[in-house]
Amino acid sequence: MPKSYEYVGPPEIRAAAKREQLGVSVRSAEELAAWVRNQPEWDGDSLTATFVVVPDGTLRVAPRRSEHVGCALDGAVLAAGELTICLAPQVQIIAATNQSTGYCPQPSCWDVARAALGAIAIACPEHLTSAYEFRRCPSCGERNLVKEDWFVCVFCDTDLPREWNFD
Ligand SMILES: [Zn+2]
């Protein structure tokens, strides 16, 4: 069983995202291509989108600025982050991250996302092109995105644990 991630962000963002659930389930490469072409941000070259993989293994995408928790229909996820999608010469993922401060997933969540993409024959990188480490500060409780191996809370200077700690 792949690890499931619960929403760990602020309740007010969750409440707002609940009112504005954006995003679509992607069941084929053609569906993803059609969605990309419909986005106002589509420039004919590439598009970066918010993505989640929901517990049944389905990939969902939403406009980049939307909250992951809205894209996930307020539920848990198996993976979350951003995908950069390119449509030529075929639908493919050219960059991927696990950047989601709503779910703070571990980089290993990419395995599930790769499987979801593989199931609908969309090529993607073997590894995240940008992998992030998230930790909750044991002192102030804030979520931190660890940069350059600096395991110190940016809010209160407390040392952060080496192990992922959102469970
Ligand atoms: Zn702190």
Side-chain angles (χ1 to χ4, degrees):
M1 281 291 283
K3 176 164 177 52
S4 175
Y5 295 93
E6 298 294 333
Y7 177 74
V8 293
E12 60 273 20
I13 287 182
R14 173 175 231 166
K18 221 169 177 169
R19 289 190 295 272
E20 194 194 17
Q21 290 183 343
L22 296 167
V24 294
S25 294
V26 178
R27 304 197 188 276
S28 69
E30 294 71 31
E31 256 183 35
L32 181 59
W35 180 83
V36 166
R37 286 195 196 94
N38 268 327
Q39 299 309 302
E41 300 82 19
W42 169 240
D43 61 6
D45 181 28
S46 67
L47 179 87
T48 299
T50 285
F51 85 90
V52 297
V53 176
V54 293
D56 72 0
T58 303
L59 174 74
R60 289 180 55 81
V61 293
R64 189 179 195 175
R65 296 300 160 208
S66 31
E67 294 295 334
H68 286 92
V69 66
C71 184
L73 305 175
D74 201 41
V77 301
L78 305 180
E82 293 186 326
L83 297 177
T84 302
I85 306 154
C86 185
L87 300 187
Q90 70 269 329
V91 186
Q92 57 185 304
I93 306 306
I94 56 169
T97 79
N98 63 323
Q99 186 158 17
S100 165
T101 53
Y103 288 96
C104 297
Q106 297 167 88
S108 57
C109 78
W110 182 235
D111 293 344
V112 173
R114 278 182 72 207
L117 287 159
I120 49 176
I122 296 175
C124 64
E126 189 174 343
H127 302 287
L128 289 171
T129 48
S130 298
Y132 297 98
E133 290 289 342
F134 297 97
R135 296 291 184 273
R136 189 184 286 290
C137 175
S139 177
C140 74
E142 287 287 348
R143 294 158 299 148
N144 279 257
L145 198 168
V146 176
K147 287 186 179 132
E148 289 161 13
D149 248 17
W150 183 247
F151 284 79
V152 176
C153 177
V154 297
F155 304 96
C156 76
D157 278 342
T158 299
D159 284 348
L160 297 171
R162 289 277 157 173
E163 296 295 315
W164 186 88
N165 65 340
F166 286 91
D167 276 342

